[in-house]
Structure formats: C-alpha cells, structure tokens
Amino acid sequence: MTHHLELSHQQQRAFQPQKLSAPRDFIVPDRSINAELPLVLEIGAGKGKHALSFAQQNPDKHLIAIERTRNKFDAFAKLAAQQKSSNLSAIHADAIAWIVHAIAPNSIERIFILYPNPEQHNPNQQWLNMPFFEFLLSRLQVGGEVVLATNIEAYMDNAEQQANEVWCLPNTRHKVASDSQRTHFEVKYLARGETCWQLNMRKSEGYKTRFDTWQASSEA
C-alpha cells in the first residue's frame, strides 16, 4: 500500500507551504479550556449553520470553522457570539494559509468540506485536484476522515476518482438524506428536489505524505 502511495500522490506536483505567509492578524485559537478535546475542522463554513449546530451537538469535540468571505463570516461570528459555545472557534481567513500556519501534523479527527465552490471553469481549484490536499491529509490523524458534500454529480465523480486513483483513500459515497439541513446550501438544494452527494474518505494506517513532520516556523 505504501509503495502504491509513493507512485501516486507523491509523484504529483508538491505543495509548497513555506511560500505562504501567515494570514493578516493571524492568531492560533486559544484552546486552553478545551485542550483535551479532539479537533475537527470545517473549511468554508459560510454563515455557520453547520458549525453552530455541530458545536452544540458535539460538546466532546472542538470545531475550528474557517470562512474567507467577509459578509458570511460576519454573520457567522455574530451567531457564534450569541451561542457562546466554548468548543467552537470561528476563523476569518483563507483556509489554505491559515491551516499551513495553525494546524499541527496528525492533529485533526475530521475535516468537513460541505458544498464548496464547484469551480466548474477552473477544475484545478477543486479541493481534491489541488497539491494542497496532500498537505491537508498530513494534518489528519490516522483513522480520521474527510467529509465532502456537493450537489454537483460531476464534482463528486471527480472527487471519488481522485480519492481512489491519486490519494489512495478508502472511501464511501452516498446520497445525502432528503431531510438533512446541515448548511443553507444543503437546505436549498434538497428543497428543490436535487440530489446531494457525500464522500467520506478515511486516512488509513501507514499513510505517508511529504508533510508529515512539516510545521511552520514560529517566526513566519
């Protein structure tokens, strides 16, 4: 299995984390209250519908939810302040730069990427097509999973293919239940009668990336 991995994703163009500067006003969230809780990450949290409910329903996890768009983040931050969940960190930043500078290797239990921009005119920006995805997997614990959801079947077909052929991740694909309400997009798509898809990808024992020991320097 390891040999197969080296022939696949480790032959891809390598991500270059050392070239990314830290986001503006960068600070790592204070987890002193919840230092012992497993970490969960959400990329593209939008207005926070999923993040807020996940934090409430999973007091035994600490969720870091990242949103880049200012107006969406402001709406999310306002609701998060009202909810006062000590196990939720709302982050306004570009996810790639923030993760590079804030997240240690092998530290995340689960990563949610729910209804990302489909990037239909720029498929190189789809998450599983990016060299960054290898770095993201280095931050995931062994046995941890990436959860991807989309309403665009072609996006899901490509993600499933990449998970199998490039990233060599055991995975399962299924249709999202028609009454699911995790995000505003999910509610909207399901209400229109669209099919939404979910791909769960697991990092297996012995999985290797080129970034398993890489960490940003504190001076960066």
Side-chain angles (χ1 to χ4, degrees), residues 134-153:
E134 181 183 356
F135 186 91
L136 189 63
L137 292 174
S138 76
R139 309 296 103 170
L140 191 65
Q141 295 171 355
V142 171
E145 68 173 5
V146 180
V147 179
L148 173 73
T150 181
N151 66 317
I152 296 175
E153 192 167 10

Side-chain angles (χ1 to χ4, degrees), residues 53-220:
S53 60
F54 183 91
Q56 278 191 323
Q57 294 164 17
N58 297 274
D60 58 336
K61 316 275 187 198
H62 188 101
L63 176 64
I64 296 173
I66 308 172
E67 175 53 45
R68 180 174 60 184
T69 307
R70 165 59 73 182
N71 62 341
K72 289 182 181 178
F73 176 77
D74 286 347
F76 174 23
K78 184 177 178 181
L79 293 169
Q82 291 168 359
Q83 184 167 300
K84 295 188 176 72
S85 294
S86 66
N87 64 329
L88 173 62
S89 299
I91 303 294
H92 179 233
D94 173 78
I96 293 176
W98 196 89
I99 289 166
V100 162
H101 285 272
I103 303 294
N106 194 41
S107 65
I108 303 290
E109 182 179 270
R110 193 182 309 163
I111 299 168
F112 288 103
I113 308 175
L114 303 178
Y115 304 95
N117 184 332
E119 302 287 0
Q120 288 166 303
H121 301 297
N122 191 7
N124 289 337
Q125 293 298 307
Q126 294 181 10
W127 287 102
L128 274 81
N129 293 349
M130 288 195 285
F132 170 72
F133 198 72
E134 181 183 356
F135 186 91
L136 189 63
L137 292 174
S138 76
R139 309 296 103 170
L140 191 65
Q141 295 171 355
V142 171
E145 68 173 5
V146 180
V147 179
L148 173 73
T150 181
N151 66 317
I152 296 175
E153 192 167 10
Y155 190 110
M156 182 54 66
D157 289 343
N158 175 69
E160 185 178 24
Q161 182 178 359
Q162 296 292 90
N164 287 322
E165 297 179 8
V166 175
W167 305 112
C168 304
L169 299 168
N171 62 83
T172 56
R173 172 178 174 168
H174 64 268
K175 293 180 181 178
V176 174
S178 59
D179 60 349
S180 186
Q181 300 187 349
R182 288 176 297 185
T183 77
H184 293 289
F185 282 127
E186 188 166 80
V187 171
K188 180 172 74 172
Y189 299 146
L190 293 171
R192 295 198 302 224
E194 295 183 26
T195 299
C196 293
W197 305 93
Q198 180 166 311
L199 191 67
N200 289 56
M201 297 160 273
R202 189 164 295 278
K203 182 177 178 180
S204 49
E205 193 76 42
Y207 196 91
K208 296 279 191 291
T209 80
R210 287 169 283 197
F211 307 103
D212 290 342
T213 59
W214 192 94
Q215 286 197 262
S217 66
S218 55
E219 307 85 53

